[in-house]
Amino acid sequence: MNNILDGKKTAATIKDEIARAVEELQAVGSKKPHLAAILVGNDGGSVTYVNAKMRDCAEVGFESTLIHLEESVSEDKLMEEIKKLNDNPDVDGFIVQLPLPKHINEKRVIMAIRPDKDVDGFHPQNVGNMMLNFPGFLPATPYGIVQLIKRHGIETSGKHCVVVGRSHIVGSPVSVLMARNAYPGNCTVTLCHSRTKNLKELCQQADILICALGKPEFIQADMVKEGSVIIDVGTTRVPDSSRKSGFRLKGDVDFEAVAPKASFITPVPGGVGPMTRAMLLKNTLEAVQGKAY
Ligand code: L34
């Protein structure tokens, strides 16, 4: 099929660009960009994603540091680690992988990260900058989605973009980016969530449908418009005894049924996930280049 939005390939191109920028930085005597990640506990998905992020760093010539804390770590101890990274001039950017264990106040954690090192773009200062179209860090998944659209030359101006899911890390910010007076952007955006009454009808009206709700195969063929662009953010692990791992990843979209109707569609895996990781690297490079702050 030639309507695949290949996130893996696009992410590889972006990583090549970043690797070249790192070489240029080093040629003028700058140090390597340095990304740190704090991982709390052993959630299967989180461990996989953070390890992949650390591998990505090596691939593009970044330095990386993984701080792995036990599930039972106290909030104060986590805050101490954040303070150390805030104060460490060698660290250009860092993330605290979510979700966090229930006993930790996520809001307090996000508020503690220095906005100019917040390469996840989760701090209210970066969220506000995004809303106002000021320089700052864009959250990696929404940033990856708009890059995927841009690098495939997909028209967005005047289109109806329907976003399903209003999370702080995907649905809400991507709805802002798609509505901005920019390219990609200039969409009429409808943000749908669990209380939306006529979800199916709204999805059927979408020129661009972005699904980020985490329910495997929620979007069926009869919910999408012929010729629409389908962006699937879901990566849910479902049991699969035929796999060595015992599971496989499923998106929010029934790919087999929906793909024939779509002008473009992202696969899972190999769609938005790799783009998320590439844009984290991009933000870290931008932190070094002083583009955001
Ligand atoms: N702080 N927490 C923070 N920042 C983030 O940007 C994230 N996110 C989400 C969860 N929590 C976070 C991620 O990193 C989701 N996410 C993420 C990152 C990478 C991938 C998926 C989700 C990814 O690489 N997916 C691959 C498959 C990986 C696998 O084999 O499991 C894919 O092809 O979709």
Side-chain angles (χ1 to χ4, degrees), residues 66-220:
L66 172 59
I67 297 162
H68 196 169
L69 305 172
E70 55 201 22
E71 180 85 19
S72 62
V73 71
S74 71
E75 190 174 302
D76 285 342
K77 169 75 176 144
L78 174 58
M79 297 299 280
E80 257 174 54
E81 294 294 336
I82 291 171
K83 187 172 183 330
K84 276 195 241 168
L85 294 174
N86 280 340
D87 295 341
N88 183 349
D90 191 61
V91 172
D92 300 296
F94 68 97
I95 67 163
V96 180
Q97 187 73 17
L98 302 178
L100 290 167
K102 288 213 167 50
H103 68 277
I104 291 172
N105 180 346
E106 200 172 284
K107 182 176 164 190
R108 190 171 167 230
V109 168
I110 288 169
M111 294 291 290
I113 301 171
R114 252 175 67 164
D116 61 340
K117 290 192 178 189
D118 169 38
V119 285
D120 258 336
F122 292 170
H123 189 282
Q125 189 167 320
N126 283 314
V127 178
N129 286 341
M130 178 190 64
M131 288 293 303
L132 296 167
N133 219 348
F134 290 173
F137 296 116
L138 297 179
T141 303
Y143 195 6
I145 292 169
V146 295
Q147 280 294 316
L148 206 48
I149 289 172
K150 185 177 181 178
R151 286 168 184 257
H152 287 80
I154 293 168
E155 182 60 73
T156 59
S157 181
K159 303 288 184 190
H160 186 197
C161 176
V162 174
V163 178
V164 186
R166 59 177 152 186
S167 72
H168 289 159
I169 75 172
V170 188
S172 179
V174 84
S175 71
V176 172
L177 294 180
M178 294 304 285
R180 294 207 299 194
N181 186 2
Y183 176 71
N186 284 312
C187 285
T188 303
V189 176
T190 302
L191 181 54
C192 301
H193 46 74
S194 52
R195 306 290 177 93
T196 298
K197 287 213 164 79
N198 50 342
L199 182 74
K200 185 172 175 178
E201 287 72 23
L202 289 165
C203 290
Q204 286 168 340
Q205 291 165 30
D207 301 308
I208 301 170
L209 181 62
I210 302 176
C211 310
L213 70 163
K215 288 195 177 160
E217 299 186 344
F218 181 84
I219 302 290
Q220 292 292 320

Side-chain angles (χ1 to χ4, degrees), residues 48-49 53 96-98 120 122 169 235 249 269-271 273-274 276-277:
T48 304
Y49 305 149
K53 288 171 182 182
V96 180
Q97 187 73 17
L98 302 178
D120 258 336
F122 292 170
I169 75 172
T235 50
L249 288 186
T276 296
R277 284 161 36 203

